[in-house]
Amino acid sequence: MGTTNSDVARAEEFKLQANEAFKAHKYSQAIGLYTQAIELNDQNAVYWANRAFAHTKLEEYGSAIQDATKAIEIDPKYSKGYYRRGAAYLAMGKFKEALKDFQQVKKICPNDPDATKKLKECEKAVMKLKFEEAIAVHDSERRSIADSIDYHTIEVEPQYSGARIEGDVVTLDFVKKMMDDFKNQKCLHKRYAYQIALQTREMLRALPSLVDITVPDGHHFTVCGDVHGQFYDLLNIFELNGLPSEDNPYLFNGDFVDRGSFSLEIILTLFAFKCMSPAAIYLARGNHESKSMNRIYGFEGEVKSKLSDTFVELFAEVFCCLPLSHVINEKIFVVHGGLFSVDGVKLSDIRAIDRFCEPPEEGLMCELLWSDPQPYPGRGPSKRGVGLSFGADVTKRFLQENNLDLVVRSHEVKDEGYEIEHDGKLITVFSAPNYCDQMGNKGAFIRFEAPDMKPNIRTFSAVPHPDVKPMAYANNFLRMFS
């Protein structure tokens, strides 16, 4: 049976409701409504392209590419289909694929100035990429930038009035003064920034890829999710839950940087606490602690603007030393992204990962950083286009095989700052409230008390920050689409 006139009319109603939800930044709701429109009339390219745009807003670039491709199949002359797909490829750093789509947009709309401008920017990005590939040094031949820096020889000008480290020891007084300076939008002297980054690198390099944490009976431990450059919200977490210390330890579960425009302040604060007291703070790698993400989403531009190009390379090296996961009291597995495309992965397999590299596009390390849970059993393709989606049965088997009770992960915006899934065996925690100044979500952190280690979840709302927009330092090209 074909599509009836009443189906077409109802589908249009769903589309209009979806458009309203989209305007209100309710992207998940918009996707649901566009889906209802598609179920009634799946031959309308606009519905698919609009749903692709909503997926892009939720960073579900794999799903966006699928939907935009469907729009193009339905109507090969529909420029928005190519445009949406090009934007999703771009967000994944796939500039060459994006270029082909923008060339099609230009072909269909030769007189559209916006299409011309985006095509030019994309051509520039591809040229830059080709140049960088041509001059790239193979990892095995590359000398460490860290080994070439001696911060002791860097002079601090007498007129510098900011926080100072006396000698080699990072103290709590220094960290408090530095945070206060950052709060007032003052910079840290590069000598001390080098010192913090280099000392953190030494500490992280010595750790295994999976770190075991012991919380003694009567003590507590706090896990935070993505903070994404939202420094003023990080300060609020410390207001609500106390500063990191050996008696008040934290684990920050990846994605410290990018998107928010105070990423440098966050990374130096977290690293300084690590230098001050290694047992006060644990740090895990997220998918945004990588060169390709930092180039696109703002951290690289921010570091160049506030410090220098050398620091971009140094932070990239330190990020390659971050552990990939943690196990608390032999029961709680904490990882940024999620689980694996194969069964039978043991904690010993994770410990054995050689993590000192940029994240690969497949394999255990990639899946730890990129995967997401799904509400149905088994495994499915990733909505992000990297990693995979895994069901409750996958979580249950992984926990049983490794004698664990719970998976805690981050990586996804949640309206309440957290979500409990997979029969209570998996918790997502996300600590960047009102993400990108537009999602309206709460942030959350989880506090565990030993010995019972039950998750006690605390949610909080965004606090004001200086008028520097998210993505202020991001790749120009990407800002055109945000």
Side-chain angles (χ1 to χ4, degrees):
M1 219 177 90
T3 307
T4 65
N5 285 345
S6 75
D7 286 343
V8 170
R10 279 181 63 217
E12 273 300 297
E13 279 173 32
F14 281 127
K15 182 194 88 169
L16 293 173
Q17 288 172 25
N19 291 352
E20 288 306 308
F22 186 96
K23 278 184 205 153
H25 305 307
K26 293 178 177 169
Y27 303 117
S28 296
Q29 194 182 328
I31 287 168
L33 290 161
Y34 288 130
T35 301
Q36 287 177 276
I38 287 165
E39 282 164 359
L40 290 164
N41 179 10
D42 66 359
Q43 291 305 299
N44 187 320
V46 175
Y47 302 164
W48 292 95
N50 284 9
R51 192 171 75 175
F53 196 19
H55 279 304
T56 299
K57 288 290 188 183
L58 289 177
E59 300 174 26
E60 297 170 354
Y61 305 123
S63 299
I65 287 164
Q66 282 178 331
D67 278 359
T69 301
K70 184 71 181 169
I72 292 162
E73 283 167 11
I74 293 166
D75 182 358
K77 291 201 158 31
Y78 182 49
S79 64
K80 265 202 179 141
Y82 296 101
Y83 188 91
R84 298 278 175 251
R85 190 169 70 180
Y89 275 135
L90 193 66
M92 293 175 73
K94 296 191 171 182
F95 294 117
K96 291 169 189 171
E97 289 89 338
L99 180 60
K100 286 179 195 158
D101 280 334
F102 291 121
Q103 284 167 339
Q104 280 299 122
V105 175
K106 177 77 173 134
K107 208 181 268 181
I108 296 164
C109 317
N111 302 319
D112 179 344
D114 187 50
T116 307
K117 188 177 170 193
K118 290 199 166 68
L119 178 60
K120 272 198 182 131
E121 281 290 333
C122 198
E123 284 168 345
K124 267 190 351 206
V126 170
M127 286 296 289
K128 186 168 181 259
L129 197 67
K130 281 183 177 162
F131 175 71
E132 283 168 358
E133 282 171 3
I135 62 164
V137 180
H138 193 271
D139 278 355
S140 59
E141 298 161 31
R142 182 179 288 128
R143 285 191 53 231
S144 160
I145 194 89
D147 294 341
S148 68
I149 300 163
D150 180 2
Y151 64 84
H152 298 98
T153 63
I154 299 170
E155 259 189 72
V156 180
E157 301 77 13
Q159 64 270 31
Y160 171 72
S161 61
R164 291 169 180 263
I165 303 171
E166 302 302 332
D168 282 341
V169 180
V170 174
T171 63
L172 179 59
D173 284 344
F174 162 78
V175 183
K176 283 180 174 170
K177 166 85 169 108
M178 180 184 73
M179 290 194 314
D180 210 44
D181 287 348
F182 286 161
K183 192 176 172 183
N184 296 311
Q185 291 185 278
K186 290 182 187 162
C187 290
L188 180 68
H189 195 282
K190 67 175 190 274
R191 177 201 157 107
Y192 306 125
Y194 275 131
Q195 182 170 344
I196 289 165
L198 290 165
Q199 286 185 4
T200 304
R201 176 175 171 267
E202 284 308 301
M203 241 173 263
L204 297 175
R205 272 172 81 186
L207 296 172
S209 290
L210 184 155
V211 174
D212 288 290
I213 298 169
T214 303
V215 183
D217 288 0
H219 289 69
H220 63 266
F221 190 90
T222 302
V223 178
C224 294
D226 307 31
V227 284
H228 272 303
Q230 296 185 197
F231 177 69
Y232 294 81
D233 293 308
L234 175 71
L235 293 181
N236 187 38
I237 292 171
F238 293 153
E239 282 283 316
L240 297 170
N241 194 56
L243 291 174
S245 68
E246 286 189 23
D247 290 329
N248 188 35
Y250 283 81
L251 164 55
F252 281 85
N253 197 27
D255 282 12
F256 321 124
V257 301
D258 283 339
R259 300 270 182 191
S261 295
F262 304 95
S263 293
L264 180 64
E265 287 79 359
I266 283 203
I267 205 69
L268 288 173
T269 299
L270 297 180
F271 283 3
F273 274 117
K274 187 74 184 164
C275 294
M276 177 195 90
S277 171
I281 198 162
Y282 296 83
L283 303 169
R285 194 170 193 173
N287 62 305
H288 274 266
E289 277 70 51
S290 79
K291 278 185 191 172
S292 59
M293 291 287 122
N294 296 164
R295 185 173 296 145
I296 301 171
Y297 290 100
F299 185 57
E300 182 179 299
E302 185 183 338
V303 171
K304 283 180 177 178
S305 169
K306 293 177 181 176
L307 286 168
S308 71
D309 288 22
T310 310
F311 274 97
V312 173
E313 286 184 65
L314 179 58
F315 282 122
E317 278 187 22
V318 184
F319 289 165
C320 289
C321 301
L322 286 162
L324 303 176
S325 56
H326 293 76
V327 171
I328 308 172
N329 283 10
E330 299 181 358
K331 287 297 171 198
I332 300 162
F333 179 69
V334 190
V335 65
H336 179 70
L339 300 180
F340 309 102
S341 54
V342 291
D343 285 336
V345 176
K346 294 282 196 281
L347 296 182
S348 54
D349 298 319
I350 301 169
R351 279 195 190 92
I353 295 170
D354 180 6
R355 71 182 188 278
F356 298 97
C357 60
E358 286 302 310
E361 292 201 6
E362 55 186 19
L364 296 186
M365 180 169 169
C366 168
E367 290 162 4
L368 285 164
L369 298 180
W370 280 96
S371 295
D372 295 291
Q374 64 181 24
Y376 28 88
R379 295 178 171 91
S382 163
K383 56 196 175 186
R384 298 173 191 270
V386 189
L388 69 142
S389 300
F390 59 95
D393 53 332
V394 175
T395 300
K396 188 179 173 186
R397 274 197 303 275
F398 173 78
L399 291 171
Q400 280 173 346
E401 286 169 357
N402 288 287
N403 194 24
L404 297 163
D405 292 342
L406 179 68
V407 174
V408 174
R409 44 87 64 178
S410 304
H411 194 40
E412 279 182 289
V413 186
K414 297 292 178 188
D415 286 346
E416 291 303 310
Y418 73 97
E419 189 175 353
I420 301 171
E421 295 170 86
H422 292 185
D423 308 317
K425 294 292 184 190
L426 182 144
I427 304 177
T428 297
V429 60
F430 190 85
S431 306
N434 195 22
Y435 179 49
C436 288
D437 283 1
Q438 61 164 309
M439 298 298 278
N441 60 293
K442 287 186 177 141
F445 52 81
I446 309 176
R447 195 160 150 145
F448 295 95
E449 309 261 346
D452 70 353
M453 298 304 277
K454 294 277 181 289
N456 178 13
I457 300 169
R458 171 92 187 256
T459 66
F460 56 95
S461 297
V463 294
H465 63 76
D467 189 21
V468 184
K469 299 284 179 280
M471 305 280 280
Y473 301 94
N475 183 305
N476 278 339
F477 191 23
L478 198 71
R479 281 214 300 277
M480 293 178 166
F481 296 89
S482 54

